[in-house]
Amino acid sequence: MSPFLAAWIFWILMFFAIELPAVFNRQPGDTLSELIWGVFAVRGKPFGWQLRRLALLIGLGWLLAHLLTGGAV
């Protein structure tokens, strides 16, 4: 097993170790989705909401293109 594969497996396990308790405790703002919604102003329109949403759109668009093209983008 390569060190990178081991690191990615560890990263995924840590993600679930953080996310699963957050999903079940039902407190607002503790899951990854809720954190992203807050940081990128998906709900509501605080100061700078347009720029934040644009950054989220560009980032997710790049990630989707990157994954669908096999890394060509």
Side-chain angles (χ1 to χ4, degrees), residues 28-29 33-34 36-46 49 52-53:
S33 298
E34 294 166 341
I36 289 172
W37 295 335
V39 169
F40 291 101
V42 173
R43 296 180 175 160
K45 295 184 178 180
W49 68 273
R52 292 189 220 176
R53 289 184 192 176

Side-chain angles (χ1 to χ4, degrees), residues 20-71:
L20 286 177
V23 167
F24 291 112
N25 73 12
R26 295 290 194 191
Q27 292 180 7
D30 54 0
T31 66
L32 179 61
S33 298
E34 294 166 341
L35 179 68
I36 289 172
W37 295 335
V39 169
F40 291 101
V42 173
R43 296 180 175 160
K45 295 184 178 180
F47 179 77
W49 68 273
Q50 292 169 323
L51 185 60
R52 292 189 220 176
R53 289 184 192 176
L54 178 62
L56 178 61
L57 181 66
I58 291 169
L60 291 176
W62 171 84
L63 179 60
L64 181 64
H66 178 73
L67 293 174
L68 291 177
T69 63

